[in-house]
Amino acid sequence: MSGILSTFRNVTDARYLFYMVAPWEFSNFEKPEDVPPYLEAGAPWMMLLILAEMFIDIERYQLNDTVTSICAGLCSMTVKFGGKFLSAALFPIVWQHINIVNMEPGFLAFIINFLAQDLAYYLGHRCIHEAGWFWGFHSMHHSSERYNFSTAIRQGALQDFAMVFFDLGLAVFVSPTSFIAHKSLNILYQFWIHTELVPPLGPLEYVLNTPSAHRVHHGRNPYCIDRNYAATLIIWDRMFGTYAAERPEEPVVYGLVTPVNSFNQLHLQFNEFIYYLFKKPFLKNEDGTDMFPGWTTKLRIMFAPPGEYPGTATKRFFLWHVNVDNEEGIPPIDYSNVTPYHKELHVLSKAYIILNSTALLVIAFSTILSSSSPMKNLDYANTLYILAFMLTTIQSFGYYFDHHYPFNLHFDFARLTMTAITSYLFPHLIQASNLLPYSIVSLAFLSLLFINKRLPGQQQSDAKPHQQ
């Protein structure tokens, strides 16, 4: 009986992906620990929807892109404090010092807190697009040249650090329990809008953020740049002049204006930081003079809109500046030459990647993604052990997908050997009993690939036209 009830409860968890909760559900949250683990409850449903979308149209997916997106999501989940995202961990502390309004739980408080959280997200999201090097916190999410449910999981590992200011300001009138609940549901809602399968939704397009509106946000077409920042309500974009409707006659092409052409996780997470902090301020003109002369100008350009260069007109919005013309300097789309970055792998190499990514997900779901996560109470040794396994495994995939031969082999042998040795010498470590046989099997598989000369990096690229 308890198993059936548990299954029923898990089925109803799917509603969280659509913000389908009643105001009275929040009335029983007396302290932050009482708030249900919405994000953990939604994670299995995200994976199920990804599999369903694959079944409906597998051509929208590539192994390299999908694994990279899922791994980025895992990276963002590892950057947690006490099992919570940064703003949720800090909010109760800040609330004690700046709260001046206490609202009784109920319908009115629910609506006000919902709107406040949604507006805070709009402002924070817009900031990390438009405020110079802050774009580095978020560019990972836009780096995919495909648009499917897995893209929703592709998150910047450090993005919470950039958004925290906008979240903590709500502590003036929002309780910690209400904030954590609405923040979690706000994040979950944004999953289902990452798909090309759902057409424009008629009148709902005027109020809600929909797949059609969010497709525009992910586009690199000139008309898509810096548009549709909303989380759940598109009204903020309409109010502040950042809304753009999808144009059937101009299909959206996804990804960054300058494609990154890599699946290397570290590169994807940090390359924009490097550019806007250490490269752009020191650019030269054709005659060799500084494009941004003087240290004051160099410092200012670090926080200027990413598209600002000499001669670009800007204006102030809130705490930062934005381009007057979002389309300035954005090249038009040449539809005859749109090819997502892709390098083909041999079937044995794909099987090896699938084996390792499956093991990674099993470990993740039993630790950081579990609602009863043991990660919250682990000592430093166990935490380092799990994170070292996860992060090195995630990084290894990029070396395969980008054909970094033979470094991918050397890196993977070192990773698996260290995992096996550590698991054998310290069997008391969490998951050691699972990671020891995993690493032995993976080493055997890796040896088979080497012996048969089927290592990734020996295959030729097999780029396919972008599917609209």
Side-chain angles (χ1 to χ4, degrees):
M1 183 65 179
S2 60
I4 296 176
L5 291 176
S6 176
T7 302
F8 178 77
R9 175 179 57 80
N10 292 336
V11 169
T12 62
D13 286 348
R15 64 194 174 99
Y16 300 144
L17 296 180
F18 306 96
Y19 222 119
M20 296 178 64
V21 294
W24 56 83
E25 293 183 54
F26 286 21
S27 62
N28 296 324
F29 305 156
E30 296 182 1
K31 53 185 183 298
E33 292 74 19
D34 295 334
V35 180
Y38 293 119
L39 294 176
E40 290 85 349
W45 290 99
M46 292 180 185
M47 299 306 299
L48 182 62
L49 285 176
I50 290 173
L51 293 174
E53 190 178 40
M54 285 182 179
F55 178 79
I56 293 172
D57 190 354
I58 190 62
E59 293 298 320
R60 298 183 188 276
Y61 285 80
Q62 278 288 349
L63 179 66
N64 46 23
D65 182 80
T66 302
V67 170
T68 301
S69 293
I70 293 174
C71 287
L74 293 178
C75 285
S76 69
M77 293 298 290
T78 63
V79 185
K80 299 172 76 175
F81 298 82
K84 302 174 183 176
F85 44 87
L86 178 61
S87 55
L90 295 178
F91 199 92
I93 300 172
V94 175
W95 178 81
Q96 292 177 353
H97 292 87
I98 71 172
N99 178 255
I100 58 176
V101 177
N102 288 308
M103 290 184 285
E104 290 294 325
F107 180 78
L108 180 60
F110 181 92
I111 295 300
I112 292 175
N113 293 342
F114 162 72
L115 292 174
Q117 176 59 56
D118 211 46
L119 176 58
Y121 180 85
Y122 171 86
L123 293 173
H125 188 193
R126 187 169 178 179
C127 175
I128 59 179
H129 269 265
E130 298 175 338
W133 67 276
F134 275 62
W135 170 236
F137 289 103
H138 188 58
S139 60
M140 176 67 180
H141 182 59
H142 286 264
S143 61
S144 175
E145 297 177 84
R146 300 179 180 275
Y147 192 74
N148 50 53
F149 284 137
S150 75
T151 309
I153 303 175
R154 182 184 286 228
Q155 297 292 328
L158 303 179
Q159 182 171 307
D160 277 355
F161 288 87
M163 300 285 284
V164 68
F165 167 79
F166 300 91
D167 286 336
L168 296 182
L170 300 177
V172 172
F173 60 92
V174 177
S175 69
T177 56
S178 185
F179 166 76
I180 294 172
H182 280 291
K183 175 72 173 180
S184 300
L185 293 167
N186 188 280
I187 293 172
L188 286 173
Y189 177 90
Q190 296 174 63
F191 175 82
W192 78 276
I193 60 178
H194 289 82
T195 182
E196 293 185 290
L197 296 181
V198 179
L201 299 178
L204 293 179
E205 299 289 340
Y206 290 99
V207 181
L208 296 178
N209 191 17
T210 65
S212 176
H214 205 60
R215 286 193 287 268
V216 172
H217 178 70
H218 273 260
R220 57 185 173 97
N221 311 53
Y223 84 92
C224 298
I225 302 301
D226 293 338
R227 298 296 183 185
N228 300 358
Y229 293 114
T232 62
L233 299 177
I234 204 69
I235 59 174
W236 312 118
D237 287 288
R238 294 182 178 276
M239 288 172 57
F240 295 111
T242 52
Y243 175 75
E246 190 174 19
R247 302 176 183 177
E249 73 280 4
E250 192 175 342
V252 175
V253 176
Y254 305 105
L256 302 177
V257 173
T258 302
V260 68
N261 291 338
S262 176
F263 295 107
N264 184 309
Q265 191 74 208
L266 283 175
H267 181 70
L268 290 170
Q269 293 282 0
F270 298 107
N271 76 98
E272 295 289 349
F273 285 116
I274 294 172
Y275 177 76
Y276 287 104
L277 289 174
F278 303 108
K279 291 185 178 180
K280 183 179 179 181
F282 302 96
L283 291 176
K284 302 288 186 180
N285 294 309
E286 291 183 359
D287 60 4
T289 59
D290 283 351
M291 185 177 291
F292 305 105
W295 284 101
T296 302
T297 305
K298 294 182 189 302
L299 182 63
R300 184 194 65 80
I301 208 65
M302 292 180 185
F303 294 89
E308 181 181 340
Y309 290 90
T312 304
T314 64
K315 61 183 179 181
R316 189 176 184 85
F317 173 78
F318 199 40
L319 301 177
W320 59 92
H321 282 79
V322 301
N323 287 344
V324 172
D325 181 4
N326 294 333
E327 299 186 23
E328 182 178 355
I330 306 301
I333 299 298
D334 178 6
Y335 288 99
S336 65
N337 190 33
V338 176
T339 306
Y341 173 72
H342 172 68
K343 293 185 176 182
E344 190 58 48
L345 300 179
H346 188 273
V347 63
L348 288 179
S349 299
K350 290 181 179 180
Y352 177 77
I353 295 293
I354 292 172
L355 167 68
N356 280 267
S357 57
T358 300
L360 177 66
L361 285 174
V362 169
I363 296 298
F365 271 95
S366 61
T367 53
I368 64 172
L369 295 180
S370 171
S371 59
S372 57
S373 174
M375 289 288 285
K376 299 176 183 178
N377 303 307
L378 288 184
D379 57 27
Y380 287 111
N382 277 290
T383 300
L384 181 62
Y385 173 66
I386 291 297
L387 292 184
F389 163 74
M390 292 185 59
L391 297 179
T392 55
T393 302
I394 287 170
Q395 185 62 19
S396 72
F397 295 149
Y399 298 138
Y400 286 90
F401 294 143
D402 289 342
H403 287 190
H404 286 308
Y405 175 80
F407 180 76
N408 54 351
L409 172 63
H410 300 157
F411 183 90
D412 226 9
F413 263 115
R415 175 183 72 87
L416 292 168
T417 301
M418 289 303 299
T419 301
I421 292 174
T422 304
S423 301
Y424 178 76
L425 294 178
F426 305 98
H428 64 280
L429 292 173
I430 187 173
Q431 297 294 335
S433 60
N434 294 322
L435 289 180
L436 178 57
Y438 150 78
S439 55
I440 294 174
V441 170
S442 293
L443 281 168
F445 203 150
L446 196 61
S447 300
L448 178 63
L449 292 177
F450 177 73
I451 293 171
N452 286 275
K453 298 182 179 180
R454 299 299 189 185
L455 285 170
Q458 297 176 315
Q459 308 300 324
Q460 297 298 316
S461 298
D462 182 19
K464 299 180 179 180
H466 181 69
Q467 299 296 318
Q468 292 292 341

